[in-house]
Amino acid sequence: WLAVYGNPATPDTAPDCQTAVRILSKRNATTGLVSAGDPAFALAGQLLAAELDYVAGAAQYPAVTAANNEAVLLIGHYRFDGTTHQTIPRPQQNRVRQQAELLDLYNNNALP
């Protein structure tokens, strides 16, 4: 549902740079409004950061790879598109938050 495009070979012409910055900042990709309290936006921001870390050559851990894969499935299941998503049932919100927290630890070099 959410795809952000860019090409490392042409960094000055990244078409989705603003979208990526907004998602990393847990903001609505269209309006720029803060959505940090929304677990889907929190997870999408952490997922994008983790994916960028992997591409940049950061250490890769099985638990983080599993969390990335689950995050992709979760935000896809609820049709997160950077602007909106389907309602996430409360029990599933906890799982979304857990994955976001794990990825946040990884992104901030704070894994135990």
Side-chain angles (χ1 to χ4, degrees):
W1 286 92
L2 174 66
V4 180
Y5 298 97
N7 183 344
T10 57
D12 294 334
T13 59
D16 286 346
C17 184
Q18 182 179 41
T19 298
V21 168
R22 286 181 173 174
I23 295 300
L24 287 166
S25 301
K26 293 150 190 85
R27 295 177 176 271
N28 182 297
T30 302
T31 66
L33 295 174
V34 175
S35 299
D38 184 317
F41 280 87
L43 181 57
Q46 294 300 337
L47 171 62
L48 181 54
E51 292 288 340
L52 290 170
D53 286 341
Y54 268 24
V55 169
Q60 297 184 17
Y61 302 100
V64 175
T65 300
N68 282 354
N69 292 338
E70 185 173 354
V72 168
L73 294 173
L74 285 167
I75 63 175
H77 180 78
Y78 295 105
R79 300 182 178 194
F80 178 85
D81 65 4
T83 301
T84 189
H85 58 83
Q86 292 178 341
T87 300
I88 302 173
R90 188 159 309 277
Q92 199 64 10
Q93 286 180 21
N94 292 333
R95 186 64 185 160
V96 170
R97 284 188 179 98
Q98 288 172 345
Q99 294 305 322
E101 289 169 9
L102 174 65
L103 294 177
D104 180 57
L105 290 172
Y106 170 74
N107 292 327
N108 289 292
N109 294 318
L111 281 177

